[in-house]
Amino acid sequence: MRLSLSSILLFCFCIASAQKVSSPSNKISAEFKLAGNGTPTYSVTFKNKPVINASNLGFTLKDLPAFDNGFTITGTSNKTVNESWRPVLGEVSVIRNNYNELTINLQQNQTGRLLNIIFRVFDEGVAFRYEFPKQPNLNYFIVSEEKTQFNLTGDHKAFWIPADFDSQEYVYSETNLSQADNDKLNLNNGISTKSIPQRFAVQSPLMMKSKDGLYINIFEAATINYPVMHLKLDPAKFTLTSLLAPNAVGDLAYLQAPAHTPWRTVMVSDDARDIVAQKMVLNLNEPSKIDDTSWIKPMKYVGIWWEMHVSKSTWDYSGTQEASQSKFSGRKPHGATTENTMRYIDFAKKHGFDGVLVEGWNTGWEDWFGNWKEEVFDFTSPYPDFDIKAISNYAKKQGVKMIMHHETSGSVANYERRMDRAYKVMQQFGYPAVKTGYVGRIIPRGEFHDGQAMVNHFNYVPQRAAEYKIMVNSHESSRPTGVHRTWPNYIAAEAARGNEFNGWSSGNPPAHETILPFTRLLGGPMDYTPGIFEIKMNIYDPAKTEQVHTTLAKQLALYVTLYSPLQMAADLPENYEKYPDAFQFIKDVAADWDDTKVLEAEPGDYLTIARKEKGKENWFLGAITDENVRQATVSLDFLTPGKKYKAVIYQDGKNAHWEKNPKSYEIKTQTVTSKSKLKLNLAAGGGTAISFMPVN
């Protein structure tokens, strides 16, 4: 076959010109171009409206020529994927993975180095990542800067927290991008370790809303062997640029070809519900690497935890370490005693909970924080008043599982040395799950929580734990990016401002929980520890002014709106015994689901979600609002047609208010069908929780 010169020139022109790939529905498109100097650029549109204007791509590599210009396109390829898979635990029983992919093969003219950029476009948004193929001109290399840009189309409203390489435990600010300024933040916020690198920088996931009603979210997926992506902000041009945490010697990432970066994601819709319901982040992660997942189970648990946060007891044996130490004087009882643990085990058995968490069981808490100390805990030695063998035998007899606590005090070097011995102790005494903690500055000294080394550690722990059939719940870790698809024993993480801050700090404002599903929860389930019934802390000490910034009914609704297969009934057993009718919802609600319907959503304002219990016909609904009173009518068309259900409605009382009257609630029961509609009345900072169970 002979090609004419004109055919060859046409082919070369097409390769050099724009390459476009669209979502299966054609609503979302990504376009790739080389700028005049050979700089890779991309743009994104939604229904032909610009979402991301032309934005640069590339890298600066240490001691090597720049890797962000002078490229030529040497080839392209396309493919379509349309498949389904079943998560071990999840919000739905089946996840569809449907996207169109475009791969751009680039060669840098001056150096001969190769770079591929892969785009995947889903109906939820655009994802792209860099791939460094095996090649003679690039082997080992060090990333000094990733230059990925997101050039936004305007001064969008943003729900943001400051870039911080050590913490995500901030209250969200709701401002236009032009007003995002870390110098204006009140940093007296209860966060122990802060590392804010720049004045104008925010964390991803970054949730935004444009003036013309587009919901836009910038995030990442499958963060493996690479730092977490924060975002530098140009508040005048509305340009975001990737910002990565350095290691102890100032480098960002050590890589060897073949290698690739995490996926950078841009989710977009004109319906906020689509952002909450997305499965794009999970789909961008690799399938499970655990063959036998039968031991990975959802858990509802209680624990010796909140009593330390409300200063009723202490973590340490000597009685000095509780959460509000600045107000603390005198000795208080140690929480993790044999007697107290057995009391919690009895409570768990009586009310049908799967597990009991015990913090402060092990030696080392007397000098655990603030001194950048390497040898703090050995993770195997209990305090003398914690009989681990007797407790294990008692829990087994009662049919209750124990959850181990491994606080590292940031000393990762110490934890990795002792990890296998710690997991063997867990196996010996029948603990199927561990809660890890990383409070404080990291050791090896100079590393950040969000740097490459710590990302590798946070991904390594569930891999190592899987060898012992142990499930992992990480606190103070980097925020998840869907890696729990690959390691499904990584069942939950904190990695955001949780309920505990309400116990001893300025707390979480009523809008907080309406923002989390648009941000932190996009990457994976969160151990938020809901279910606090005694809202005001002055019940423990009349001098206390702290409180939970919700109504009691909203605390119930959070079990549905904040997804996690690991859910804690976080309050004290005696507090639940005061309100047995409201406690019934926590006892009934599931933690693993066949289906999820996002009924209403607006970031920072409200959220209503219904979920169907795994393997059963039971449905549960949670509706929450911010500081404003809200009325809504919801259709129950998600229920199975032709069936009758008993709906038990837990709602705010007529005079309920998150601050003035937070414990006012009422419960009513009615029969409903899929044709029914329910009117919801949410108090300021309030919520509604509903269980739907088939009527036989």
Side-chain angles (χ1 to χ4, degrees), residues 28 61 78 86 142 159 197-198 207 220 257-258 266 271 305 327 367 394 431 459 466 477 519 534 541 593 606 610 689:
I28 302 173
L61 305 182
N78 296 80
R86 292 182 174 271
I142 299 171
F159 302 84
Q198 297 182 16
M207 185 67 209
E220 62 180 330
V266 180
D271 186 338
W305 175 78
K327 302 177 182 179
D367 183 23
Y394 189 73
Y431 285 69
N459 289 329
S477 62
T519 52
E534 285 298 349
D541 180 349
W593 309 99
Y606 57 83

Side-chain angles (χ1 to χ4, degrees), residues 117-169:
I117 303 176
I118 296 91
F119 292 87
R120 290 182 181 174
V121 187
F122 302 76
D123 285 336
E124 301 145 307
V126 173
F128 61 90
R129 76 177 180 189
Y130 304 90
E131 288 188 354
F132 306 90
K134 187 172 179 61
Q135 54 190 290
N137 296 320
L138 189 67
N139 187 13
Y140 293 97
F141 60 99
I142 299 171
V143 175
S144 296
E145 183 181 9
E146 182 189 326
K147 306 182 82 170
T148 303
Q149 288 184 339
F150 305 87
N151 284 325
L152 300 166
T153 60
D155 191 12
H156 303 330
K157 179 167 72 173
F159 302 84
W160 60 277
I161 56 177
D164 186 325
F165 296 153
D166 275 319
S167 180
Q168 320 87 356
E169 295 179 318

Side-chain angles (χ1 to χ4, degrees), residues 90-124:
E91 298 177 88
V92 294
S93 59
V94 178
I95 293 176
R96 186 184 181 197
N97 182 26
N98 186 201
Y99 61 85
N100 292 321
E101 181 177 288
L102 168 66
T103 298
I104 308 290
N105 307 120
L106 301 172
Q107 184 170 28
Q108 193 173 37
N109 300 327
Q110 181 182 0
T111 66
R113 294 178 301 187
L114 306 177
L115 177 67
N116 300 333
I117 303 176
I118 296 91
F119 292 87
R120 290 182 181 174
V121 187
F122 302 76
D123 285 336
E124 301 145 307

Side-chain angles (χ1 to χ4, degrees), residues 624-642:
I624 62 173
T625 186
D626 59 3
E627 69 278 4
N628 297 304
V629 173
R630 185 167 191 270
Q631 289 82 39
T633 300
V634 295
S635 169
L636 304 186
D637 57 4
F638 52 84
L639 298 175
T640 302

Side-chain angles (χ1 to χ4, degrees), residues 129-130 132 143 146 220-229 244 252-256 258-264 281-282 284-289 450-463 478-487 490:
R129 76 177 180 189
Y130 304 90
F132 306 90
V143 175
E146 182 189 326
E220 62 180 330
T223 305
I224 296 169
N225 193 32
Y226 202 80
V228 166
M229 184 179 72
L244 309 179
L252 301 185
Y254 299 110
L255 301 175
Q256 181 187 13
H260 58 73
T261 67
W263 294 95
R264 278 63 185 98
V281 170
L282 270 176
L284 290 164
N285 280 266
E286 295 296 318
S288 174
K289 293 187 178 181
D450 282 354
Q452 182 185 28
M454 284 304 297
V455 166
N456 288 345
H457 170 81
F458 294 132
N459 289 329
Y460 171 71
V461 171
Q463 294 177 44
S478 59
R479 78 285 187 276
T481 58
V483 177
H484 61 289
R485 179 187 179 187
T486 310
W487 299 101
Y490 195 175

